[in-house]
Amino acid sequence: MDKIEESKKRVQALRASRKDIKWPLLSEEEKHHLVHKYHPDYKKEAYGKIRIGPNQGEETVREVVKLLEGESCISSESISLTPQRQVDVLIIGGGGAGATAALSVKESGATVLVATKLRLGDSNTVMAEGGMQVAVSPEDSPIQHFMDSLRGGHMENDRTLLKTLVESGPSIAKWLLDIGVLFDREEDGNLSLRAGGGSSQARLLRCKDYTGLELMRVLKDAVLDEDIEILEFSPVVELLTDGEGNCSGAILKNLDNNKYTVVQAKTVILSTGGMGRLHIQGFPTSNHYGATADGLPLAYRAGAALTLQDTFQYHPTGAVYPEAMSGILVTEAIRSVGAQLVNGNGERFINEMETRDAVASAVIRECQEGRGVETPSGRRGVWLDMPLVDVLNGEGILKDRFPNMDRQYSRYKIDISKDPVLVYPTLHYQNGGIKINADGESTLKGLFVAGEASGGIHGRNRLMGNSLLDIIVYGKRAGRAASLRASETKFRELTLRHLEEYQSAQKEAGVVPQLVSPILFPDYVNKD
Amino acid sequence: MSHSVTIEFDGSSHSVPEGITVIQAMWHLGRPMIHGVGCLGGVCGACTITMRSSSQTESQTALACQTMVEDSMALTFLPPDASKKVMTPLSADVADEKKMIHFYPETRRCVACQACTTICPQGIDVMEGVRAAINGEISAVAEKFTSCVMCGLCSMVCDARIRPHRVGIYARRLSVAAHPGSADQLFTRIDEINTGKYTEEWERVMSS
């Protein structure tokens, strides 16, 4: 403990000397070097080959390989596929993307059912803090938003998807105002904008540091206003196909009585979110309890291809102390208003507004090379000097703009306006996912995907604030396209043929499933 | 190396490690959590508990994912919010401040008992919010409920059956409808996109 206090004193003592120093940005080459050497995405031994299915021969982290190669809890012998429910559009997942899709389907006049693992709104959306990127200011443009995102994504973004994302931004922001989302404003009524890492312009719309909570609260309220049917505690455990390459429904499991419900749907929208609770490479996570990548194995064994499934975002500043907060996000926006990252010696080591992959890599480098600080429980981290925000912007600004951070730390008697806090990268986001087109449709016909479960928009590294935009833009698009398709098609046969084919491919490739997927929840339960 | 503490839960005492949250203690005790757990980050309102420490005579409420276990703490998980929501359209008509509690008329029955404020795990002065709603001060209500996680505890303890959290979110949504403000830069940008200002540049960017 003394060592931590000593280090903290150094951070405070050196604050004045470093506060005005502008740390240089890395050159493309330096950044490439840094990321390749320290970023977990480039840790070869953490990766394995996918041996079956549409992405056979490609790689991803071992935790995801296991999920994809897992077995279903359903078998043809154990269940009757007579539909108990029929609906035009079935939406799986009740986070920001699912709720937006539900509103969009309802608006189109199609019938809709939302099935979600926990409660409506229990999702990563509600935890998003920093904001939503929309090119609003006169100095900005959708093109600049596009270029920033493309550079941030290492030029591997699907350009059509990205163009659609940034171009829809302003009208989506307008729609959010229309349904009653309270974004922070300037005196003159214009939307208040803040800078994010890797962005050339200030373009983050926000609601203090509760942006995701605000979005989800309003979306949820709007869904309830529309009288949309929601089945809570009812995750999907298997998709159904017609055996001819069309998705035709899904099987839900009621978590309270373990009973299955067979739903026949003309189209299905998968909005199951991310994967932080897989704790890839042993990382803590900023994600909600249900973030177990359920959509990936479901879509994959039904025949949908993945893209960029090997890349993940480790948010540079996850809390490492107190232990009970480990993994919890300290929003990037705090760095955008002046909080600095400093190592155990009290020295800066990176421009805080580099893209997340670069900042995370630099933090890992400092810790690996012995310039980090060890917590009592053995975690390592560097300091995030938040008191600097008040020094630079005026007394009281930090707590006023970041009430959530203040509240979280104050529960553990840490005053963020007085003391720096320890941080280390936390598993935050799945950059890739299920491959989609601009309508949100996957390579399996009739299966649409929206939000974090999809891949391509963000390339190899998502910029801050692009995810909240993504879920609304593509939630809406998927909802609209799925409704339109539903209006043109009839119900199709319900079969598990895709599963039987997948099982024979497993046998042929000598793949022995090591778990039942989707796993639905992380296994934290003490077995003693 | 780690010390343990004893908590009272579900009719018996249990020993759990010090320095973990109440939710983590449940896992430690072999209970897989499905209800009563959500974001694990203090913003979803799923894990409300009531608890009492040995030094207290009164119980207090908290979020289980944000609360560390303490020795001799007695706790119970509370049922999730089940308050009914009324349909709350956002037309300009209802955005009239006087009509703000049109859909939640029972709000006027507030007897200023403070129970809602006392119970709020987010430290919101809920009752002040309710009073502001009665006075038709939309913006003041909206501001009060900024950090509301919709756990619904305020509604659970209200003797007058007021649903402050629902009034809060409605006021927030309504405040945008009532005061859309002049977000001119946004509207200009939408026009620019719709009138094709960027079309040529897009062609260049997309073909490069």
Side-chain angles (χ1 to χ4, degrees), chain A residues 365-426:
Chain A
R365 179 192 63 202
E366 293 305 298
C367 292
Q368 275 183 13
E369 294 178 356
R371 295 185 293 277
V373 179
E374 193 167 328
T375 72
S377 59
R379 294 183 192 272
R380 282 180 304 174
V382 297
W383 296 104
L384 180 65
D385 192 13
M386 290 198 269
L388 197 52
V389 173
D390 279 358
V391 176
L392 295 169
N393 302 279
E395 195 81 6
I397 294 286
L398 179 69
K399 290 185 177 180
D400 178 60
R401 295 215 193 145
F402 303 97
N404 186 19
M405 269 303 98
D406 177 33
R407 170 156 292 281
Q408 298 232 11
Y409 274 102
S410 65
R411 295 192 212 262
Y412 302 104
K413 311 210 165 30
I414 292 172
D415 184 344
I416 58 170
S417 69
K418 299 216 159 55
D419 283 321
V421 298
L422 285 173
V423 294
Y424 191 77
T426 181

Side-chain angles (χ1 to χ4, degrees), chain A residues 315-321 325-330 409 422-426:
Chain A
H315 192 292
T317 53
V320 287
Y321 180 84
M325 265 185 84
S326 98
I328 292 282
L329 208 62
V330 182
Y409 274 102
L422 285 173
V423 294
Y424 191 77
T426 181

Side-chain angles (χ1 to χ4, degrees), chain A residues 148-149 152 196-200 203 332 353-355 463:
Chain A
D148 288 344
S149 307
S199 295
S200 59
R203 68 168 79 91
E332 183 171 328
M353 299 314 287
E354 296 275 4
T355 51
L463 289 193

